[in-house]
Amino acid sequence: MNTKKRWWTRSRREALDGYVFMTPAILGLLFFMLGPIGASAYFSFTEYDILSTPKWVGLDNYVNLFKDSLFWQSLRVTMIYSVVSVPLGLTVSLALALLLNKNIRGIFLFRTIFYLPAVMSGVAVALLWKWIFNPDFGLINWAIGLLSLEGPKWFIDEQWALPPIIIMSLWGVGGSMLVYLAGLQGIPTDLYEAAEIDGANKRKQFRHITLPMLSPVIFFNLITGIIGALQVFTEGFIMTQGGPNNATLFSVLYLYRNAFSYLQMGYASALAWVLFLIILAFTLIIFKSSPMWVFYEGNRRSGK
Amino acid sequence: MVRKRKLALVLAVVLALSTVLYGCSGGNGDGGSGSKDEKVTLNFIRWSNGPALDDEEKDKVKRFNDAHPNIQVKMTLLPWDETFKKIEMSLASNSPVDLFYWDVPAYAWYKKGLMKNLQPYFDRDLKMADFDEKLFEPFKFDGSNMYVAPENYQTLVLYYNKDMFDKAGVAYPDTNWNWDDFLDAAKKLTIKEGDKTVQFGTTMSLGAWWGWMALSQEQGGALAPNIHDPEKLSFNTPETKNALQYLQDLIYKHHVAPDAAQASALGGDFLTGKIAMYVGGDWDLGSLKEKKDLKWGMATMPKWGDQRVVPYWMGGYAMTEKTKHPDQAWEFIKWTMTDNQETLAKQQSWIPVNKTALSKVETPAWAPEGYQDARFDWMKYGNIGDIYHLRWREAQDKAISPIVDQIFANKITVDDALKKMEEQVNEIIAKK
């Protein structure tokens, strides 16, 4: 009796309760996340058309991937998109957050207005932008026409198919803007007061207080931004169907086509894993570099 | 004691959760096709063709269900692309859909042995004398057995805007027109205001592969001697070159058809009265007949020189190999090929396949002159406008569309384009 009592301690009971409550999440992870992830890892080494049983082909899919010119094209398109859209998005959202951090009347109204686009549905927005970029009667080329210049043939000319999608991506900066805003409000005002007494002007305050204090938030936005950009899909799928001449064939779109249009789930899985490794590599690089530029309070910039 | 109860509780929770989780993949089979009086539900997926045609499909299914109290066909309408994904997923599961409406991507499923051979049913229940069996040949995938049951035909016709022809003083197209006449008329029907073309003689409606292939076929060209699993496709032929050159010239040499940018700038098409004529599918009739303010006419597709070959396509139903109710599914298919054919003839949206029904097709009240010739003349020289190959879709996406994009953007000569196309397409279809 005594031993039994001791075994069944309060902490063990709490632990058990904990596991019971975690069960749904763990089962969900096992069945709906790890299961498919494991399956796709296996499929990536097979020839699999969804309809018949997978056939083991070893590294064939990966080898073919490197010989596939469309894979490289899709990677190129995705990289260009990411390299331009991520920094652009970070800058614009930071600028907006700085403006919306001002203490003026009706600021909540402005915050709502600038956040609103981020909650609108992707397809409707894509269609709206297609009109805005229409080469002949779209808003943008009309504005360019006012300067008596001729606007480019957006979406129709190969060179001008990707830029509008990049510009469009700014439509969704509301999310990271909000995170910046929260970060800005978290900076203690006494830092600015002290700086002002020391004679620092606004620009210096921004460089030496705002940016360092905000660096964890920039870090967060950078990582999520890169992951999101490398997985871009909807615009290419809905607005351009990857064209013209594959100028907007994003990696995930190419993956999707292999999986569902060409019946090559094995090849698509290999593509997914390569894409995953690329994203992982980028993320790791940024994480490794973070001690150099990310500043956490109470942790003087000491490196590591 | 307490401990045991707790353990039991945990086990119960886990069990409950796992039943929930496995529930979705659990058995929904009702086992066997059963007896004739058993009430059976058939799952049927087809793609949507817009509200008007969808209503006809819904009505079709309803009339069948009313006439067959023991069979309930449950139809799901999806966007075209979605349809094939959905059926594919169902084929990968243990309980596939029973019926689906055929289109070329489904050929892959035949190759994987997932489509039911319908020939035994044809032999048992249908009089082939009721049909033009020669036109059905494309659906004999293995050369002798029908895998799809044709319900209707579709073809290409020439549509024209009478008001524009009258205004330009050009005679209406007739059955003797060839593509030179077409071009002459297009030139006269193109109107410029300053630099800007405000009305184009025609459009690039034949820019899709089956469009320019039709022009190539009229000259005797062909992609392959056999449309089923061709081992090699020939694009780099004089006929196909002529066809694509003719189309490219419509934009860049004669300026009678808009390029992609001009087309989007025009902000309209034949329906909105910005285009004088075009060759398109007879499936466009559905939207044209609703257009009361547009005075339009029809003619047969123009000849190439003095030769005419018009492509046709077939719509029809197929059954999955693993359906649990093949007999009931066949009942539906048979009904669409027999009892329902006269309704099809009356509705005028599709050309019926049954000869009796075909003979009863009247010229509808809304039909413009030229209707009969344009819509039914092809049966004398029709040629199927399909290619059936496991990798055809991939070849279109990866090689044909991008290269054709370049041709119609005037970035590549037709010669170079077709050399490239032939090389790339054959590389794709040669892959195992």
Side-chain angles (χ1 to χ4, degrees):
Chain A
M1 250 354 208
N2 234 352
T3 44
K4 199 172 188 178
K5 260 240 151 71
R6 213 175 298 142
W7 189 86
W8 188 239
T9 57
R10 191 181 180 82
S11 69
R12 274 176 195 272
R13 210 189 109 175
E14 279 177 0
L16 183 68
D17 289 346
Y19 285 122
V20 171
F21 284 114
M22 278 191 315
T23 314
I26 291 174
L27 285 180
L29 182 75
L30 282 177
F31 288 106
F32 297 121
M33 299 284 286
L34 287 180
I37 290 172
S40 88
Y42 166 68
F43 290 147
S44 75
F45 296 105
T46 65
E47 195 186 302
Y48 179 43
D49 60 12
I50 313 180
L51 302 171
S52 26
T53 38
K55 202 176 92 213
W56 185 265
V57 292
L59 283 171
D60 275 12
N61 285 331
Y62 291 93
V63 174
N64 289 336
L65 209 53
F66 284 92
K67 287 191 253 170
D68 181 352
S69 62
L70 279 184
F71 164 70
W72 292 108
Q73 167 69 8
S74 78
L75 216 53
R76 203 176 67 90
V77 171
T78 311
M79 284 301 158
I80 294 175
Y81 173 82
S82 308
V83 164
V84 183
S85 77
V86 172
L88 200 64
L90 285 180
T91 324
V92 171
S93 55
L94 179 57
L96 281 178
L98 287 171
L99 288 176
L100 293 177
N101 197 30
K102 294 268 182 286
N103 230 339
I104 55 166
R105 216 143 55 104
I107 191 69
F108 287 105
L109 183 68
F110 288 111
R111 283 179 189 165
T112 313
I113 290 172
F114 278 95
Y115 183 65
L116 212 55
V119 297
M120 294 225 266
S121 126
V123 177
V125 171
L127 288 175
L128 173 78
W129 280 93
K130 228 182 150 168
W131 285 102
I132 293 178
F133 278 108
N134 185 296
D136 276 79
F137 50 81
L139 204 58
I140 300 218
N141 276 9
W142 171 81
I144 296 174
L146 288 184
L147 307 170
S148 45
L149 294 169
E150 200 186 335
K153 291 179 178 170
W154 308 102
F155 293 127
I156 289 163
D157 213 328
E158 264 174 61
Q159 285 80 18
W160 292 103
L162 197 52
I165 296 183
I166 292 173
I167 297 171
M168 225 185 97
S169 71
L170 292 178
W171 179 259
V173 296
S176 49
M177 179 196 80
L178 210 63
V179 179
Y180 275 131
L181 203 55
L184 284 172
Q185 312 228 310
I187 302 176
T189 41
D190 43 336
L191 289 178
Y192 292 107
E193 282 159 15
E196 222 158 286
I197 291 165
D198 287 346
N201 60 20
K202 285 279 174 203
R203 185 181 302 171
K204 282 203 166 133
Q205 287 180 20
F206 177 73
R207 260 209 65 191
H208 298 289
I209 300 174
T210 314
L211 272 187
M213 291 301 283
L214 216 50
S215 58
V217 179
I218 298 177
F219 176 66
F220 172 81
N221 277 339
L222 180 63
I223 297 257
T224 52
I226 286 179
I227 293 176
L230 290 173
Q231 296 180 346
V232 58
F233 171 74
T234 325
E235 290 82 354
F237 185 61
I238 296 193
M239 300 174 73
T240 57
Q241 287 82 46
N245 194 19
N246 295 324
T248 56
L249 184 75
F250 296 116
S251 292
V252 181
L253 177 59
Y254 188 49
L255 186 162
Y256 173 89
R257 284 188 178 170
N258 273 297
F260 299 110
S261 297
Y262 313 151
L263 292 175
Q264 293 170 20
M265 192 53 98
Y267 193 66
S269 300
L271 221 164
W273 276 89
V274 169
L275 200 60
F276 166 71
L277 290 176
I278 292 172
I279 294 176
L280 188 69
F282 273 106
T283 314
L284 282 179
I285 291 169
I286 294 161
F287 259 95
K288 282 277 171 209
S289 77
S290 71
M292 287 188 279
W293 60 277
V294 178
F295 171 83
Y296 292 102
E297 220 175 338
N299 171 14
R300 271 261 145 251
R301 193 199 302 218
S302 56
K304 224 190 197 173
Chain B
M1 244 30 245
V2 177
R3 177 184 156 213
K4 264 198 181 153
R5 274 232 310 270
K6 290 261 172 178
L7 202 65
L9 182 70
V10 173
L11 277 175
V13 169
V14 172
L15 273 177
L17 280 169
S18 42
T19 2
V20 171
L21 290 174
Y22 282 113
C24 31
S25 65
N28 37 3
D30 35 355
S33 57
S35 68
K36 274 259 161 168
D37 334 310
E38 187 197 7
K39 205 165 169 154
V40 158
T41 302
L42 298 174
N43 283 312
F44 166 43
I45 297 185
R46 69 159 294 143
W47 71 85
S48 156
N49 280 312
L53 287 174
D54 286 355
D55 281 345
E56 286 183 6
E57 295 308 319
K58 286 178 198 156
D59 173 60
K60 184 192 295 174
V61 168
K62 189 179 168 295
R63 281 181 293 110
F64 175 82
N65 287 345
D66 289 347
H68 299 78
N70 286 332
I71 308 175
Q72 287 300 303
V73 173
K74 217 177 91 216
M75 177 172 66
T76 310
L77 287 160
L78 294 169
W80 188 87
D81 212 28
E82 206 77 355
T83 308
F84 294 93
K85 251 160 259 164
K86 186 92 181 173
I87 301 170
E88 222 143 77
M89 290 301 151
S90 100
L91 286 170
S93 76
N94 279 325
S95 48
V97 294
D98 304 286
L99 288 162
F100 62 87
Y101 193 71
W102 153 265
D103 203 0
V104 183
Y107 189 68
W109 310 332
Y110 157 73
K111 293 298 285 178
K112 305 280 172 190
L114 297 170
M115 277 171 71
K116 182 82 91 197
N117 177 1
L118 300 178
Q119 194 59 43
Y121 295 103
F122 268 76
D123 293 343
R124 193 186 76 190
D125 288 348
L126 294 175
K127 284 204 301 287
M128 288 319 283
D130 291 344
F131 308 97
D132 195 338
E133 208 181 346
K134 212 176 106 264
L135 293 174
F136 287 2
E137 291 289 320
F139 282 169
K140 292 185 174 165
F141 294 157
D142 56 7
S144 52
N145 295 303
M146 294 289 288
Y147 281 84
V148 183
E151 180 206 38
N152 62 66
Y153 297 120
Q154 297 133 49
T155 188
L156 290 184
V157 302
L158 169 62
Y159 298 103
Y160 60 94
N161 184 316
K162 284 184 173 174
D163 285 340
M164 290 181 185
F165 271 72
D166 291 343
K167 223 187 228 168
V170 181
Y172 294 154
D174 59 42
T175 45
N176 291 319
W177 262 33
N178 63 26
W179 288 101
D180 294 332
D181 300 318
F182 182 87
L183 178 60
D184 284 342
K187 284 178 185 162
K188 289 178 198 149
L189 289 159
T190 301
I191 299 173
K192 280 186 118 181
E193 267 171 25
D195 287 351
K196 213 166 168 150
T197 308
V198 291
Q199 174 186 312
F200 280 98
T202 186
T203 61
M204 295 311 287
S205 61
L206 293 175
W209 80 270
W210 45 263
W212 44 263
M213 261 329 288
L215 288 192
S216 169
Q217 282 176 354
E218 286 203 305
Q219 307 162 61
L223 280 184
N226 175 20
I227 62 159
H228 298 105
D229 295 311
E231 274 168 18
K232 189 179 172 299
L233 296 177
S234 315
F235 290 93
N236 193 16
T237 61
E239 295 88 2
T240 307
K241 258 182 234 175
N242 290 338
L244 275 163
Q245 194 62 59
Y246 180 87
L247 292 173
Q248 193 192 36
D249 286 348
L250 290 180
I251 309 177
Y252 296 101
K253 190 169 165 192
H254 307 299
H255 308 286
V256 297
D259 65 16
Q262 288 168 322
S264 87
L266 207 60
D269 52 15
F270 186 77
L271 275 175
T272 50
K274 304 260 179 177
I275 302 288
M277 60 179 172
Y278 77 105
V279 171
D282 68 336
W283 51 82
D284 286 354
L285 284 170
S287 38
L288 275 165
K289 72 178 179 195
E290 303 296 326
K291 206 68 193 157
K292 306 280 187 243
D293 51 341
L294 192 79
K295 279 171 69 192
W296 53 283
M298 272 170 94
T300 33
M301 185 172 119
K303 303 177 197 174
W304 190 283
D306 52 10
Q307 249 190 106
R308 175 165 20 237
V309 178
V310 181
Y312 76 98
W313 295 273
M314 287 184 283
Y317 302 91
M319 206 192 292
T320 53
E321 178 64 38
K322 281 196 275 181
T323 171
K324 295 190 178 80
H325 313 289
D327 292 335
Q328 286 88 342
W330 171 251
E331 275 307 308
F332 177 72
I333 292 178
K334 189 177 76 182
W335 180 83
T336 63
M337 286 185 77
T338 52
D339 296 359
N340 192 48
Q341 285 284 309
E342 291 196 15
T343 314
L344 216 62
K346 278 195 204 99
Q347 285 171 330
Q348 305 283 358
S349 302
W350 309 101
I351 305 171
V353 293
N354 188 293
K355 279 183 183 166
T356 327
L358 204 53
S359 69
K360 286 187 185 161
V361 171
E362 287 163 15
T363 307
W366 49 262
E369 54 205 89
Y371 175 86
Q372 282 294 340
D373 279 345
R375 209 171 180 197
F376 301 101
D377 204 43
W378 63 269
M379 294 198 170
K380 294 176 219 150
Y381 35 70
N383 197 342
I384 193 79
D386 282 333
I387 287 286
Y388 302 131
H389 192 284
L390 196 54
R391 295 200 180 271
W392 181 233
R393 181 119 189 250
E394 190 180 342
Q396 284 182 63
D397 267 15
K398 286 186 173 173
I400 300 176
S401 307
I403 295 174
V404 170
D405 278 355
Q406 285 171 288
I407 294 179
F408 293 144
N410 209 13
K411 292 215 164 128
I412 190 170
T413 64
V414 171
D415 252 353
D416 290 347
L418 287 175
K419 266 179 220 148
K420 224 166 98 181
M421 197 184 293
E422 179 156 323
E423 194 181 306
Q424 292 184 6
V425 169
N426 283 314
E427 197 179 311
I428 290 168
I429 67 169
K431 271 197 294 183
K432 238 268 317 120

